[in-house]
Amino acid sequence: MADWMKMVRLGLEQGEPVALISILATEGSTPRGAGTRMLVGHDRAEGSIGGGALEHQAMTQARALLMQPPGSWRVQDYPLGPMLGQCCGGRVRLLVERLDPDDVQWLEEPPQGRPLRTALEPGHVRRSYIAAPPDPIAARGERPGVGSAWIERVGASVRPVYLFGAGHVGAALARLLRTLPVQLAWFDIRPEMAAMGATQADDDALVRCSLDVAPDATVLIMTHDHQLDYRLTHAALSGQARFVGLIGSATKRARFLSRLRADGISEDGCARLICPIGVSGIVGKEPEVIAISVAAQLLQLEAA
C-alpha cells in the first residue's frame, strides 16, 4: 500500500472529518509533483504539497470543505506566480475532497498490478481498482469536472533497495531510506542486529538474495565482513540488479575487480560496480554523512 493511502486510513480511524489534497497535474517549475498528497483536519495536517502560499491556500480550502457533506470535492488550478506570488512560476492543479468514511473499501491492500481509478461524481469521489487500464483521461488540459476519471498505478514508482549490513553506516542509511520513496529490504547475518530492524539470515541466504533481485533493484553492500562483501558483490553482478554499490575505497574496488574478473565476471558486469558509493565531492566519514551521500546518489539514479 502506498504511503499516502496509509496516511488516509490512519486519518479516518481518528473519527474526525478529514480532507485529502492531491496534486493532479503540474506545468513548469513547481514545489512538488503530480501524485503528491496531504491530509488536513480541523487542527492538524500530515504530509506536504510543497509548503508556501500554495499549501496555505489549499489547507484553507480543505478546512472549508470539512464543513460540507462527506464526499464533497473541488478541483482548482493555481498559477503560482500570478495568483500566489510564488517565484516557482509554474501551475498546479489540485483535487481537494472531504473523505467519506463510509467509502473506504479502496483502502484495503491493492490487488497486485491493478491500477486505481478515480472518478468525479456529483457530491462524491469514487475510487475502485480495475482489471486493465482503459484509455486514460488526462488530468492536464481542460479542468476535470463531473464525469471525469483517471487512473494511476499505486506505488508504481517505488524501487526495491536491498541493503546488506547493519553497522553504523548501514543503520544510518536504513533510517534515511525509510523516509524516501523506496521499498527497503535490510539484512545482516548477526542476530543482535534484528533488534534494529534488520532481517537476520546466514551468509548463503544473503548471497542467494543478492543474486535473485529484480532487474530494477538497487543492491547496497556494507557488511562487517570483507569476504561476505565480496560474495555479495559477485552474486549481485552475476544477476540483474540495476545498481550495485559497495562501500569502500578505490583500493578495495581495484582488489575486488581483480578477483571478480578471475572468478568469471565479465567486463560489462565489472563496469556495473560502483565503489566507492555516494555523491562525489562529499568527503565526510561520519555515518550520517555517508548515508546522505548514498541516498543522494540513489535519488540521482531515479532522476536519470
Side-chain angles (χ1 to χ4, degrees), residues 100-174:
D100 185 350
D102 294 327
D103 181 20
V104 295
Q105 69 277 3
W106 59 275
L107 286 173
E108 301 301 322
E109 193 65 29
Q112 185 66 32
R114 295 180 65 179
L116 180 67
R117 182 177 187 268
T118 299
L120 300 181
E121 300 179 357
H124 204 87
V125 178
R126 189 75 62 189
R127 291 184 173 91
S128 61
Y129 294 98
I130 57 177
D135 293 334
I137 298 174
R140 293 175 182 245
E142 186 177 348
R143 185 188 302 178
V146 172
S148 296
W150 57 88
I151 60 171
E152 61 185 300
R153 297 284 181 179
V154 177
S157 63
V158 177
R159 185 174 302 279
V161 174
Y162 292 78
L163 173 59
F164 297 96
H168 295 305
V169 175
L173 182 56

Side-chain angles (χ1 to χ4, degrees), residues 17 19 67 71 73 95 169 176 211 248 250 255 278 281 285 292 304:
M67 307 304 295
W73 56 269
L95 169 65
V169 175
L176 184 54
L211 173 65
R255 290 175 177 172
K285 301 297 184 182
I292 291 171

